[in-house]
PDB file of all heavy atoms in Angstrom:
ATOM      1  N   LEU A 526       7.445  43.490  35.787  1.00  0.00           N
ATOM      2  CA  LEU A 526       8.232  44.381  36.546  1.00  0.00           C
ATOM      3  C   LEU A 526       9.622  43.855  36.989  1.00  0.00           C
ATOM      4  O   LEU A 526      10.491  44.615  37.113  1.00  0.00           O
ATOM      5  CB  LEU A 526       7.421  44.809  37.856  1.00  0.00           C
ATOM      6  CG  LEU A 526       6.212  45.553  37.600  1.00  0.00           C
ATOM      7  CD1 LEU A 526       5.406  45.854  38.880  1.00  0.00           C
ATOM      8  CD2 LEU A 526       6.525  46.934  36.834  1.00  0.00           C
ATOM      9  N   HIS A 529      11.884  44.727  34.281  1.00  0.00           N
ATOM     10  CA  HIS A 529      12.227  46.107  34.268  1.00  0.00           C
ATOM     11  C   HIS A 529      13.199  46.511  35.397  1.00  0.00           C
ATOM     12  O   HIS A 529      14.157  47.221  35.149  1.00  0.00           O
ATOM     13  CB  HIS A 529      10.957  46.891  34.314  1.00  0.00           C
ATOM     14  CG  HIS A 529      11.090  48.317  34.556  1.00  0.00           C
ATOM     15  ND1 HIS A 529      11.519  49.165  33.523  1.00  0.00           N
ATOM     16  CD2 HIS A 529      10.974  49.055  35.680  1.00  0.00           C
ATOM     17  CE1 HIS A 529      11.670  50.495  34.105  1.00  0.00           C
ATOM     18  NE2 HIS A 529      11.355  50.403  35.392  1.00  0.00           N
ATOM     19  N   HIS A 533      17.095  47.784  34.930  1.00  0.00           N
ATOM     20  CA  HIS A 533      17.501  48.980  35.476  1.00  0.00           C
ATOM     21  C   HIS A 533      18.711  48.794  36.473  1.00  0.00           C
ATOM     22  O   HIS A 533      19.685  49.642  36.476  1.00  0.00           O
ATOM     23  CB  HIS A 533      16.349  49.707  36.198  1.00  0.00           C
ATOM     24  CG  HIS A 533      16.703  51.048  36.742  1.00  0.00           C
ATOM     25  ND1 HIS A 533      16.866  52.167  35.993  1.00  0.00           N
ATOM     26  CD2 HIS A 533      16.955  51.425  37.993  1.00  0.00           C
ATOM     27  CE1 HIS A 533      17.193  53.204  36.782  1.00  0.00           C
ATOM     28  NE2 HIS A 533      17.228  52.780  37.999  1.00  0.00           N
ATOM     29  N   GLY A 534      18.678  47.827  37.225  1.00  0.00           N
ATOM     30  CA  GLY A 534      19.849  47.484  38.161  1.00  0.00           C
ATOM     31  C   GLY A 534      21.067  47.171  37.489  1.00  0.00           C
ATOM     32  O   GLY A 534      22.140  47.525  37.865  1.00  0.00           O
ATOM     33  N   ASP A 541      30.487  53.501  36.500  1.00  0.00           N
ATOM     34  CA  ASP A 541      31.618  53.483  37.371  1.00  0.00           C
ATOM     35  C   ASP A 541      31.457  54.582  38.489  1.00  0.00           C
ATOM     36  O   ASP A 541      32.180  54.641  39.408  1.00  0.00           O
ATOM     37  CB  ASP A 541      32.874  53.891  36.596  1.00  0.00           C
ATOM     38  CG  ASP A 541      33.261  52.643  35.647  1.00  0.00           C
ATOM     39  OD1 ASP A 541      32.999  51.538  36.063  1.00  0.00           O
ATOM     40  OD2 ASP A 541      33.921  52.817  34.694  1.00  0.00           O
ATOM     41  N   GLU A 542      30.429  55.481  38.296  1.00  0.00           N
ATOM     42  CA  GLU A 542      30.282  56.518  39.272  1.00  0.00           C
ATOM     43  C   GLU A 542      29.581  56.115  40.523  1.00  0.00           C
ATOM     44  O   GLU A 542      28.616  55.275  40.495  1.00  0.00           O
ATOM     45  CB  GLU A 542      29.435  57.623  38.649  1.00  0.00           C
ATOM     46  CG  GLU A 542      30.113  58.377  37.530  1.00  0.00           C
ATOM     47  CD  GLU A 542      29.153  59.503  36.970  1.00  0.00           C
ATOM     48  OE1 GLU A 542      28.354  60.048  37.752  1.00  0.00           O
ATOM     49  OE2 GLU A 542      29.388  59.813  35.838  1.00  0.00           O
ATOM     50  N   THR A 544      27.543  57.519  43.852  1.00  0.00           N
ATOM     51  CA  THR A 544      26.873  58.752  44.210  1.00  0.00           C
ATOM     52  C   THR A 544      27.408  59.054  45.661  1.00  0.00           C
ATOM     53  O   THR A 544      28.003  58.333  46.393  1.00  0.00           O
ATOM     54  CB  THR A 544      25.357  58.440  44.392  1.00  0.00           C
ATOM     55  OG1 THR A 544      25.149  57.416  45.354  1.00  0.00           O
ATOM     56  CG2 THR A 544      24.790  58.126  43.005  1.00  0.00           C
ATOM     57  N   ALA A 547      25.520  63.455  52.031  1.00  0.00           N
ATOM     58  CA  ALA A 547      25.826  63.769  53.418  1.00  0.00           C
ATOM     59  C   ALA A 547      25.061  62.942  54.365  1.00  0.00           C
ATOM     60  O   ALA A 547      25.361  62.987  55.611  1.00  0.00           O
ATOM     61  CB  ALA A 547      25.624  65.235  53.674  1.00  0.00           C
ATOM     62  N   SER A 549      22.842  59.183  55.325  1.00  0.00           N
ATOM     63  CA  SER A 549      22.889  57.757  55.014  1.00  0.00           C
ATOM     64  C   SER A 549      21.472  57.206  55.106  1.00  0.00           C
ATOM     65  O   SER A 549      20.578  57.856  55.737  1.00  0.00           O
ATOM     66  CB  SER A 549      23.779  57.017  56.084  1.00  0.00           C
ATOM     67  OG  SER A 549      23.254  57.173  57.323  1.00  0.00           O
ATOM     68  N   VAL A 550      21.314  56.132  54.348  1.00  0.00           N
ATOM     69  CA  VAL A 550      20.037  55.462  54.317  1.00  0.00           C
ATOM     70  C   VAL A 550      20.202  54.037  54.661  1.00  0.00           C
ATOM     71  O   VAL A 550      21.141  53.311  54.072  1.00  0.00           O
ATOM     72  CB  VAL A 550      19.338  55.644  52.963  1.00  0.00           C
ATOM     73  CG1 VAL A 550      18.093  54.793  52.813  1.00  0.00           C
ATOM     74  CG2 VAL A 550      19.092  57.096  52.601  1.00  0.00           C
ATOM     75  N   LEU A 567      16.027  40.501  47.649  1.00  0.00           N
ATOM     76  CA  LEU A 567      17.402  40.935  48.018  1.00  0.00           C
ATOM     77  C   LEU A 567      18.304  41.266  46.852  1.00  0.00           C
ATOM     78  O   LEU A 567      18.925  42.303  46.812  1.00  0.00           O
ATOM     79  CB  LEU A 567      18.068  39.952  48.975  1.00  0.00           C
ATOM     80  CG  LEU A 567      19.317  40.322  49.577  1.00  0.00           C
ATOM     81  CD1 LEU A 567      19.224  41.684  50.394  1.00  0.00           C
ATOM     82  CD2 LEU A 567      19.857  39.213  50.534  1.00  0.00           C
ATOM     83  N   PRO A 576      25.162  51.557  43.285  1.00  0.00           N
ATOM     84  CA  PRO A 576      25.740  52.899  43.015  1.00  0.00           C
ATOM     85  C   PRO A 576      25.919  53.824  44.196  1.00  0.00           C
ATOM     86  O   PRO A 576      26.662  54.796  44.280  1.00  0.00           O
ATOM     87  CB  PRO A 576      24.941  53.508  41.895  1.00  0.00           C
ATOM     88  CG  PRO A 576      24.175  52.389  41.352  1.00  0.00           C
ATOM     89  CD  PRO A 576      23.969  51.371  42.461  1.00  0.00           C
ATOM     90  N   ARG A 579      28.233  53.727  49.284  1.00  0.00           N
ATOM     91  CA  ARG A 579      28.970  54.447  50.195  1.00  0.00           C
ATOM     92  C   ARG A 579      28.121  54.992  51.335  1.00  0.00           C
ATOM     93  O   ARG A 579      28.515  55.225  52.444  1.00  0.00           O
ATOM     94  CB  ARG A 579      29.683  55.723  49.611  1.00  0.00           C
ATOM     95  CG  ARG A 579      30.896  55.274  48.747  1.00  0.00           C
ATOM     96  CD  ARG A 579      31.561  56.526  48.242  1.00  0.00           C
ATOM     97  NE  ARG A 579      32.749  56.046  47.437  1.00  0.00           N
ATOM     98  CZ  ARG A 579      33.384  56.948  46.654  1.00  0.00           C
ATOM     99  NH1 ARG A 579      32.967  58.122  46.556  1.00  0.00           N
ATOM    100  NH2 ARG A 579      34.351  56.493  45.961  1.00  0.00           N
ATOM    101  N   THR A 581      24.640  53.764  51.758  1.00  0.00           N
ATOM    102  CA  THR A 581      23.372  52.895  52.066  1.00  0.00           C
ATOM    103  C   THR A 581      23.792  51.646  52.766  1.00  0.00           C
ATOM    104  O   THR A 581      24.949  51.116  52.535  1.00  0.00           O
ATOM    105  CB  THR A 581      22.708  52.522  50.702  1.00  0.00           C
ATOM    106  OG1 THR A 581      23.557  51.860  49.867  1.00  0.00           O
ATOM    107  CG2 THR A 581      22.139  53.713  50.071  1.00  0.00           C
ATOM    108  N   HIS A 584      20.048  45.902  56.131  1.00  0.00           N
ATOM    109  CA  HIS A 584      20.022  45.012  57.288  1.00  0.00           C
ATOM    110  C   HIS A 584      18.915  43.880  57.055  1.00  0.00           C
ATOM    111  O   HIS A 584      17.776  44.353  56.730  1.00  0.00           O
ATOM    112  CB  HIS A 584      19.706  45.834  58.558  1.00  0.00           C
ATOM    113  CG  HIS A 584      20.562  46.948  58.916  1.00  0.00           C
ATOM    114  ND1 HIS A 584      21.849  46.684  59.519  1.00  0.00           N
ATOM    115  CD2 HIS A 584      20.554  48.292  58.569  1.00  0.00           C
ATOM    116  CE1 HIS A 584      22.338  47.852  59.629  1.00  0.00           C
ATOM    117  NE2 HIS A 584      21.658  48.780  59.073  1.00  0.00           N
ATOM    118  N   VAL A 586      16.902  41.046  59.125  1.00  0.00           N
ATOM    119  CA  VAL A 586      16.523  40.546  60.435  1.00  0.00           C
ATOM    120  C   VAL A 586      15.737  39.293  60.239  1.00  0.00           C
ATOM    121  O   VAL A 586      14.625  39.313  59.665  1.00  0.00           O
ATOM    122  CB  VAL A 586      15.743  41.591  61.189  1.00  0.00           C
ATOM    123  CG1 VAL A 586      15.434  40.946  62.661  1.00  0.00           C
ATOM    124  CG2 VAL A 586      16.559  42.862  61.398  1.00  0.00           C
ATOM    125  N   GLY A 589      13.902  33.685  63.155  1.00  0.00           N
ATOM    126  CA  GLY A 589      13.804  32.247  63.529  1.00  0.00           C
ATOM    127  C   GLY A 589      13.346  31.365  62.338  1.00  0.00           C
ATOM    128  O   GLY A 589      12.556  30.424  62.508  1.00  0.00           O
TER     129      GLY A 589
END
Side-chain angles (χ1 to χ4, degrees):
L526 295 176
H529 170 73
H533 181 74
D541 289 333
E542 293 182 27
T544 62
S549 62
V550 173
L567 187 57
R579 288 186 178 163
T581 58
H584 301 278
V586 180

